[in-house]
Amino acid sequence: MGALLEVIVLDAAEAEAAQAGGADRLELVRDLAADGLTPESATVRSVLAATDLPVRVMVRDTPDFAADVEALRRRVGELREAGAREFVLGFLDAYGQIDVGATRDVVAELDGCPWTFHRAVDHAADYRLAWDHAVSLGPDTVLTAGAPGGVDDGLADLRELAARQDIDGVALLVGGGLRQEHVADLRAAGARAFHIGTGARVDGSVRAERVRSWRELIS
């Protein structure tokens, strides 16, 4: 069975290219330089009109992982009004651990929509504790590179998490500095979902042929 391939996109044109290349799901963000922030509602509408793939929309308003809960709850409402039905979020507290309360409060606004806990987990003070806290909050997916520096540094943890994802009841989505040469090792360890950003891009834009090269690799 082929693995899931999720591609980061910024707009409708990139969504169309990712779908043409064989992506299974999209993560919609703005500002890649900030590792992805909440997109505008108009962009959400245009992307949803351009693709029939599942689209997970980022809920993150600042480049750090702090949460202004009331502002983020309003953002979720705006995104849902724009048609968003899947989300990506997760927040850290002042001590560098998962902000369980803030994340739970924002998740409450999703009203049961599926969501991914994103790479905030990689930047926590205690990675394994953060993983457990993230899983406890009810996402169906956790996006992680295994380390703040990316997959190169996190391979050992990713192998272990791939082996226990079914026990934890979440899908491990590997992303963050992921390169094609990592895939065979991770697939052998049991990873079944991969997330690419720059790996799907040529000259800064998502290209169908780049996505297709990943699709063929992980199938």
Side-chain angles (χ1 to χ4, degrees), residues 14 198 201-207:
E14 292 195 344
T198 56
R201 296 175 178 273
V202 177
D203 297 328
S205 297
V206 173
R207 300 295 174 88

Side-chain angles (χ1 to χ4, degrees), residues 15 35 78-79 127 136 160 179 184 207 219:
D35 291 327
E78 293 165 1
L79 294 169
Y127 178 74
S136 76
E160 292 183 27
R179 300 195 307 276
R207 300 295 174 88
S219 293

Side-chain angles (χ1 to χ4, degrees), residues 58-80:
M58 180 65 74
V59 181
R60 179 175 178 238
D61 280 347
T62 60
D64 60 15
F65 296 101
D68 179 337
V69 171
E70 291 309 310
L72 290 165
R73 290 175 70 178
R74 288 193 297 272
R75 292 288 268 169
V76 170
E78 293 165 1
L79 294 169
R80 292 187 66 192

Side-chain angles (χ1 to χ4, degrees), residues 3-219:
L4 180 141
L5 178 61
E6 180 178 271
V7 178
I8 301 171
V9 300
L10 298 173
D11 56 32
E14 292 195 344
E16 291 172 351
Q19 181 162 358
D24 299 299
R25 191 169 73 199
L26 308 178
E27 179 187 89
L28 176 60
V29 308
R30 66 175 171 85
D31 199 349
L32 285 177
D35 291 327
L37 301 178
T38 308
E40 299 299 328
S41 294
T43 305
V44 174
R45 292 188 185 94
S46 66
V47 167
L48 292 174
T51 180
D52 55 10
L53 293 178
V55 179
R56 297 219 162 175
V57 181
M58 180 65 74
V59 181
R60 179 175 178 238
D61 280 347
T62 60
D64 60 15
F65 296 101
D68 179 337
V69 171
E70 291 309 310
L72 290 165
R73 290 175 70 178
R74 288 193 297 272
R75 292 288 268 169
V76 170
E78 293 165 1
L79 294 169
R80 292 187 66 192
E81 286 180 9
R85 295 293 180 266
E86 302 188 28
F87 297 89
V88 184
L89 63 133
F91 311 103
L92 300 181
D93 62 22
Y95 301 98
Q97 284 299 346
I98 302 302
D99 192 331
V100 172
T103 305
R104 186 178 287 128
D105 286 347
V106 178
V107 167
E109 298 298 312
L110 306 186
D111 195 28
C113 292
W115 64 284
T116 297
F117 197 106
H118 63 52
R119 286 195 62 207
V121 71
D122 292 347
H123 298 273
D126 183 327
Y127 178 74
R128 286 311 183 92
L129 179 61
W131 171 271
D132 290 340
H133 283 165
V135 169
S136 76
L137 287 161
D140 62 10
T141 303
V142 178
L143 168 63
T144 177
V151 172
D152 272 339
D153 298 332
L155 276 171
D157 278 318
L158 290 169
R159 292 187 196 103
E160 292 183 27
L161 292 171
R164 62 177 271 188
Q165 61 185 320
D166 292 333
I167 297 170
D168 288 337
V170 299
L172 169 68
L173 178 61
V174 178
L178 180 68
R179 300 195 307 276
Q180 291 191 346
E181 53 263 38
H182 295 133
V183 170
D185 184 351
L186 290 163
R187 286 287 274 155
R192 301 190 294 267
F194 298 89
H195 169 96
I196 57 172
T198 56
R201 296 175 178 273
V202 177
D203 297 328
S205 297
V206 173
R207 300 295 174 88
E209 62 270 20
R210 287 294 300 150
V211 176
R212 191 172 298 112
S213 71
W214 285 88
R215 175 76 278 160
E216 293 169 353
L217 179 66
I218 70 174
S219 293

